[in-house]
């Protein structure tokens, strides 16, 4: 008996469960989860299960054709909800699609639909990067929706990195000047024109346009994908080049993730190459987990502390012998208030440091373990790089974290407080130590500032030059322009997509302008 959903299990338990169990579609309801009575009730020969399996854009058309005065208000409300899906660019989904299979951007937009149809005014809406997972073509539609919400008489606050969306703002607040401890102050407030001239990091990079590469690398081989049919792919045959930076593009819902994550790892040749897949899924971790535990960085640090002080490493774990007895090493004490939300207060005994007082008397390079965990990555990289605290194993991991643009994260920050983009880059830093030859990345620029995108491109270049093959699903034009090879899916989303509409170099794509991606990339590079 499985007490949890398979997707929610820890990786090693899940691997065992998948070996020991077999899952098949229920023969009684054919996977619809409905009783015979519900399945046999039909409107115009369509049952509720058939309606839920239809693509939402088709379902909206079908509902528009229904004329039943007794349920007219219901039909109107349903019509508005379905039209909202289509408008926000999710018309290619089906209502019975499991939530766990949605990408990060899709899940966020499904949440937005609940509010877009609301007739409330004088409401403050806060959106956190609503353009994640959106093609430049779809961003224009999203901008329209945000402006409509504003025009209804609401206040719309948007946290965003994409210049296309920043450009429609009435008022811009720029935070900085750096990240982590170097940030936290308002550097600029005013209009978009003022931001461009303001001289802040965002202002300086606002007009950045990556140029197409002069020369592209030649592929050293190819990974053939044959007859891919995951989700909406239509028997796609494609040779993905190896030894280069290959970017897979296309409008949201055109089948990019289905090809890269759904079909590629299953190909026989992929197993020999060592494919490492880094997606946007949540990192399984509790509030006790942090970047130091997740990346394995804490092990060499504990050993270094133990060696320097002649005690055992377990003392330097807040989940083991060194934990503060009052809060059990969590650093906060939770008070459940029954009728209200619980309250978390810093533990009075350890003052949120998570360790017993006796453990904090042991030092390495003049710092105790709680001070080390409070350091940002860049400071810790210096600390473990030289002097008494020199620990090569820790220094290597910290170097990888800095490479992916996480230099500002503190080592002990709970994983539950990281954003989606930060989690993905933390995974990338961890996987970079693996021996895999092919990396599949799903929108690595999610949550990255314009200035950090350059750093990420440098990292991808270094990985390719070291002999790795990088396959990136991406909407950011700077990454497209930087690619050696582009595979463009489309032409539309859902059953209008799932085909390959272009294969070649970015320069050829810009010259041809035969696809939506080609048009937007040409406009971006000023061709």
């Amino acid at each position: 008996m499985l007490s949890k959903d398979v997707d929610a299990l820890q990786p090693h338990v899940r691997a065992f469960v998948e070996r020991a169990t077999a899952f098949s579609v229920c023969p009684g309801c054919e996977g619809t989860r409905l009783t015979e009575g519900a399945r046999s009730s039909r409107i115009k020969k369509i049952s509720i299960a058939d309606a839920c399996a239809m693509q939402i854009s088709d379902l909206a058309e079908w509902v528009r054709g229904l004329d039943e005065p007794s349920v007219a208000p219901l039909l109107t409300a349903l019509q508005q909800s379905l039209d909202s899906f289509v408008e926000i660019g999710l018309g290619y989904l089906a209502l019975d699609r499991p939530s766990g299979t949605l990408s990060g951007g899709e899940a966020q937009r499904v949440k937005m639909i609940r509010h877009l149809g609301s007739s409330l005014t004088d409401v403050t809406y806060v959106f956190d990067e609503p353009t994640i997972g959106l093609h430049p073509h779809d961003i224009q539609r999203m901008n329209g929706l945000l402006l409509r919400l504003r025009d209804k008489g609401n206040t719309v606050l948007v946290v965003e990195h994409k210049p296309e969306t920043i450009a429609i703002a009435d008022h811009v607040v720029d935070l900085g000047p750096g990240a982590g401890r170097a940030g936290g102050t308002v550097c600029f407030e005013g209009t978009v024109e003022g931001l461009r001239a303001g001289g802040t990091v965002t202002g300086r990079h606002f007009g950045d346009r990556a140029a197409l590469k002069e020369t592209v690398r030649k592929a050293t081989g190819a990974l053939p994908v044959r007859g891919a049919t995951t989700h909406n792919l239509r028997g796609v045959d494609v040779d993905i080049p190896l030894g280069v930076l290959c970017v897979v593009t296309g409008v949201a819902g055109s089948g990019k993730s289905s090809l890269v994550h759904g079909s590629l790892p299953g190909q026989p040749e992929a197993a020999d190459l060592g494919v490492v897949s880094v997606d946007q899924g949540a990192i399984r971790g509790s509030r006790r987990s942090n970047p130091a535990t997740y990346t394995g960085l804490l092990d060499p640090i504990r050993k270094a502390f133990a060696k320097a002080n002649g005690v055992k490493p377990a003392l330097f774990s807040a989940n083991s012998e060194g934990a503060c007895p009052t809060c059990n090493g969590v650093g906060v004490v939770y008070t459940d208030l029954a009728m209200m939300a619980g309250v978390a207060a810093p533990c009075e005994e350890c003052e949120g440091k998570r360790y017993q007082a006796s453990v904090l008397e042991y030092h390495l390079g003049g710092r105790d373990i709680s001070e080390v965990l409070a350091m940002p990555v860049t400071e810790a990289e210096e600390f473990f790089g030289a002097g008494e605290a020199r620990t090569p194993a820790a220094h290597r991991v910290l170097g990888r974290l800095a490479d992916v643009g996480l230099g500002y994260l503190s080592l002990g920050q709970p994983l539950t407080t990281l954003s989606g983009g930060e989690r993905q880059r933390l995974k990338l830093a961890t996987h970079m130590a693996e021996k895999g030859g092919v990396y599949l990345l799903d929108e690595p620029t999610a949550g990255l500032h314009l200035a950090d995108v350059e750093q990420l491109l440098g990292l991808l270049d270094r990985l390719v030059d070291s002999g790795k093959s990088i396959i990136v699903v991406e909407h950011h034009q700077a990454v497209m322009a930087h690619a050696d090879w582009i595979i463009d899916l489309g032409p539309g989303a859902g059953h209008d997509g799932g085909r390959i509409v272009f294969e070649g170099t970015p320069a050829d794509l810009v010259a041809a302008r035969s696809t939506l991606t080609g048009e937007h990339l040409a406009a971006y590079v000023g061709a």
Side-chain angles (χ1 to χ4, degrees):
M1 182 181 137
L2 302 178
S3 59
K4 279 185 179 174
D5 191 27
V6 181
D7 294 332
L9 297 170
Q10 289 181 308
H12 63 283
V13 183
R14 185 174 169 180
F16 166 73
V17 166
E18 284 172 349
R19 279 207 314 276
T21 56
F23 293 88
S24 58
V25 175
C26 164
C29 68
E30 294 169 357
T32 60
R33 307 189 296 184
L34 297 168
T35 61
E36 176 56 37
R39 294 199 311 279
S40 58
S41 306
R42 294 173 184 271
I43 299 174
K44 289 191 176 176
K45 298 184 182 172
I46 286 190
S47 72
I48 188 164
D50 300 332
C52 287
M54 283 164 91
Q55 184 166 308
I56 290 174
S57 53
D58 298 343
L59 181 61
E61 284 305 312
W62 181 73
V63 170
R64 206 170 271 120
L66 298 179
D67 183 26
E68 186 55 61
S70 61
V71 288
L74 263 179
L75 283 174
T76 309
L78 178 61
Q79 189 67 60
Q80 284 174 346
S81 288
L82 294 171
D83 286 345
S84 296
F85 270 100
V86 177
E87 219 169 296
I88 207 164
L90 292 178
Y92 58 87
L93 296 179
L95 292 179
D96 62 0
R97 169 108 173 246
S99 305
T101 63
L102 299 179
S103 71
E106 286 170 343
Q108 191 184 18
R109 280 177 285 148
V110 168
K111 281 188 204 160
M112 285 173 72
I113 287 168
R114 286 168 46 187
H115 302 292
L116 290 172
S118 115
S119 51
L120 295 173
T121 57
D122 284 338
V123 177
T124 299
Y125 290 99
V126 182
F127 292 111
D128 193 352
E129 295 196 55
T131 58
I132 282 180
L134 287 185
H135 188 269
H137 168 71
D138 300 311
I139 289 177
Q140 294 167 349
R141 281 155 75 175
M142 174 64 73
N143 284 351
L145 288 167
L146 294 172
L147 292 171
R148 280 221 326 260
L149 269 183
R150 176 201 68 184
D151 294 342
K152 270 189 187 175
N154 300 309
T155 304
V156 183
L157 283 175
V158 186
V159 177
E160 190 50 85
H161 292 292
K162 293 269 170 72
E164 299 98 315
T165 302
I166 299 172
I168 64 162
D170 301 307
H171 187 81
V172 180
V173 178
D174 190 18
L175 288 161
R181 289 183 187 175
T185 55
V186 173
C187 307
F188 171 83
E189 229 185 311
T191 61
V192 179
E193 280 65 40
L195 175 72
R196 287 175 196 267
T200 62
V201 178
T202 310
R204 286 200 305 275
H205 287 274
F206 196 80
D208 277 6
R209 292 291 180 266
L212 293 172
K213 281 183 177 169
E214 297 286 318
T215 55
V216 293
R217 301 179 185 93
K218 289 280 175 278
T220 55
L223 186 56
V225 174
R226 295 289 174 263
T229 53
T230 313
H231 293 315
N232 66 330
L233 295 178
R234 307 202 177 178
V236 167
D237 294 336
V238 62
D239 290 326
I240 295 178
L242 296 175
V244 296
L245 175 57
C246 172
V247 175
V248 181
T249 61
V251 294
S254 57
K256 303 179 299 297
S257 296
S258 303
L259 175 67
V260 172
H261 293 298
S263 305
L264 216 166
Q267 302 295 323
E269 290 83 358
D272 310 331
L273 290 164
V275 172
V276 176
S277 177
V278 186
D279 59 11
Q280 290 181 342
I283 289 175
R284 303 263 171 247
S286 67
R287 51 182 177 243
R288 286 176 176 273
S289 315
N290 52 44
T293 56
Y294 183 77
T295 56
L297 172 64
L298 201 55
D299 290 338
I301 292 178
R302 281 203 304 251
K303 284 174 187 158
F305 263 96
K307 192 174 170 189
N309 293 288
V311 290
K312 54 185 180 180
L315 277 177
F316 300 101
S317 167
N319 299 329
S320 184
E321 292 182 27
C324 160
T326 307
C327 62
N328 291 328
V330 181
V332 287
V333 175
Y334 289 90
T335 312
D336 188 8
L337 296 178
M339 75 291 291
M340 284 153 48
V343 171
C347 168
E348 289 180 8
E349 183 166 333
C350 65
E351 296 172 350
K353 291 180 178 173
R354 303 176 60 194
Y355 289 92
Q356 294 173 19
S358 57
V359 175
L360 299 180
E361 287 168 14
Y362 299 116
H363 287 80
L364 174 70
R367 303 288 185 99
D368 66 41
I369 182 76
S370 72
E371 288 171 332
V372 167
L373 289 177
M375 287 180 180
V377 168
T378 40
E379 189 184 329
E381 193 181 4
E382 279 178 39
F383 179 73
F384 288 109
E388 187 201 336
R390 187 171 173 276
T391 313
H395 190 256
R396 278 196 297 276
V397 179
L398 289 161
R400 289 199 293 270
L401 285 170
D403 274 349
V404 295
L406 292 177
Y408 59 89
L409 272 193
S410 64
L411 306 185
Q413 184 176 337
L415 287 188
T416 47
T417 63
L418 300 189
S419 70
E422 286 170 340
R423 284 197 294 257
Q424 195 191 12
R425 281 175 283 140
L426 188 57
K427 280 188 199 173
L428 176 58
T430 311
H431 287 311
M432 274 163 58
E434 293 179 16
K435 295 288 179 276
V438 180
Y439 287 88
L440 310 181
L441 308 181
D442 200 343
E443 290 197 60
T445 60
L448 276 187
H449 186 272
L450 301 160
D452 299 322
V453 172
E454 291 171 23
Q455 187 183 352
L456 180 77
L457 290 174
L459 170 67
L460 296 180
D461 273 344
R462 288 201 299 281
L463 284 170
V464 174
D465 292 338
S466 72
K468 311 279 190 202
S469 302
I470 309 280
I471 301 162
V472 188
V473 173
E474 190 52 88
H475 292 293
H476 200 299
Q477 294 104 317
V479 181
M480 294 179 200
H482 202 75
D484 298 309
W485 192 258
I486 284 187
I487 295 172
D488 195 16
L489 286 153
H495 57 41
D496 298 330
R499 290 190 291 267
I500 290 190
V501 289
F502 177 84
E503 281 181 85
T505 64
D508 294 342
L509 178 63
V510 167
R513 295 190 195 197
S514 55
T515 68
L516 281 171
T517 308
E519 286 170 24
H520 283 281
L521 185 58
Y524 176 82
V525 297

